[in-house]
């Protein structure tokens, strides 16, 4: 008979998420994960199979909890262009500079996704969900007359997605909220 899992998986994923987010996949050690989750290495390996297995579970958790929640607000948040602008602003507006750690997806794409097909697929799926939400809202804006009929929603959605990913990198590197605000406004100008 196998051992009973005696921990809260959501708490473990949250703890691991923050350490991976701050340190990155490669720099995160098992000691870091033990401290962040309260689990011993054996429990981590039994529950997730490996550090990579835990990382993939964290990416899924991030995609569902963080990205999913933000995409839901984007998709259901009032006027379409205002919702897109709010999506950008909420990535920095209420955070302290030291909390500007970028996007876990973007950080992971830069660090490890190109060398690992599983991580790449997980990151790509989540980023695509953001782009798809942008496209949906841009199509709504076009139908309402708030976005010019000569604009291509799919192309603009790809542009906004690229801006948002770059936005995360700028935030992590500079921790400069004024710069992020300027970048956010520039992204919105591309829709006018």
């Amino acid at each position: 008979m196998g051992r009973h899992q005696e921990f809260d998986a959501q708490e473990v994923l949250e703890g691991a998420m923050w350490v991976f987010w701050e340190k990155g996949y490669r720099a995160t050690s098992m000691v870091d994960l033990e401290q962040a989750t309260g689990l011993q290495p054996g429990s981590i390996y039994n529950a997730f199979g490996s550090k990579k297995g835990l990382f993939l579970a964290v990416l899924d958790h991030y995609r569902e909890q963080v990205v999913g929640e933000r995409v839901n607000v984007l998709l259901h948040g009032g006027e379409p262009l205002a919702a897109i602008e709010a999506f950008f602003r909420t990535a920095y507006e209420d955070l302290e500079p030291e909390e500007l750690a970028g996007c876990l997806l973007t950080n992971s794409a830069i660090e490890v996704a190109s060398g690992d097909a599983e991580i790449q697929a997980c990151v790509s799926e989540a980023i695509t969900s953001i782009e798809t939400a942008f496209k949906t809202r841009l199509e709504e804006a076009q139908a309402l007359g708030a976005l010019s009929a000569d604009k291509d929603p799919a192309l603009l959605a790809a542009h906004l997605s690229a801006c948002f990913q770059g936005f995360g990198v700028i935030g992590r590197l500079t921790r400069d909220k004024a710069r992020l605000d300027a970048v956010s406004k520039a992204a919105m100008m591309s829709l006018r």
Side-chain angles (χ1 to χ4, degrees), residues 26-50:
R26 290 188 183 112
T28 297
S29 69
M30 286 307 291
V31 171
D32 293 327
L33 292 171
E34 287 175 56
Q35 291 172 347
T37 65
L39 297 179
Q40 295 299 312
S43 296
I44 292 172
Y45 287 112
N46 285 335
F48 301 100
S50 64

Side-chain angles (χ1 to χ4, degrees), residues 39-179:
L39 297 179
Q40 295 299 312
S43 296
I44 292 172
Y45 287 112
N46 285 335
F48 301 100
S50 64
K51 175 181 161 182
K52 178 182 166 184
L54 175 56
F55 186 61
L56 287 167
V58 162
L59 288 175
D60 284 339
H61 174 76
Y62 181 83
R63 185 180 66 218
E64 292 169 12
Q65 300 299 313
V66 177
V67 174
E69 180 179 312
R70 294 193 67 225
V71 165
N72 187 47
V73 169
L74 170 63
L75 287 172
H76 301 100
E79 193 275 322
L81 297 184
I84 291 170
E85 186 173 9
F87 185 84
F88 275 84
R89 279 196 331 271
T90 59
Y92 67 92
E93 210 167 49
D94 293 333
L95 301 177
E96 295 300 321
E98 62 274 5
E99 295 175 303
L100 296 172
C103 170
L104 180 60
L105 300 171
T106 304
N107 298 349
S108 300
I110 292 167
E111 182 190 13
V112 292
S114 64
D116 187 291
E118 284 180 281
I119 293 172
Q120 183 177 16
C122 188
V123 168
S124 180
E125 183 180 318
I127 290 173
T128 298
S129 73
I130 296 169
E131 186 172 325
T132 300
F134 283 146
K135 182 177 178 279
T136 298
R137 293 315 309 258
L138 291 167
E139 289 169 343
E140 289 174 27
Q142 209 164 43
L144 293 169
L147 181 67
S148 175
D150 65 342
K151 302 263 186 183
D152 181 346
L155 185 59
L156 281 176
H159 169 72
L160 289 173
S161 181
C163 286
F164 191 71
Q165 299 315 309
F167 188 80
V169 173
I170 290 168
R172 185 172 181 88
L173 290 175
T174 69
R175 315 261 176 173
D176 183 347
K177 290 172 72 168
R179 187 164 181 197

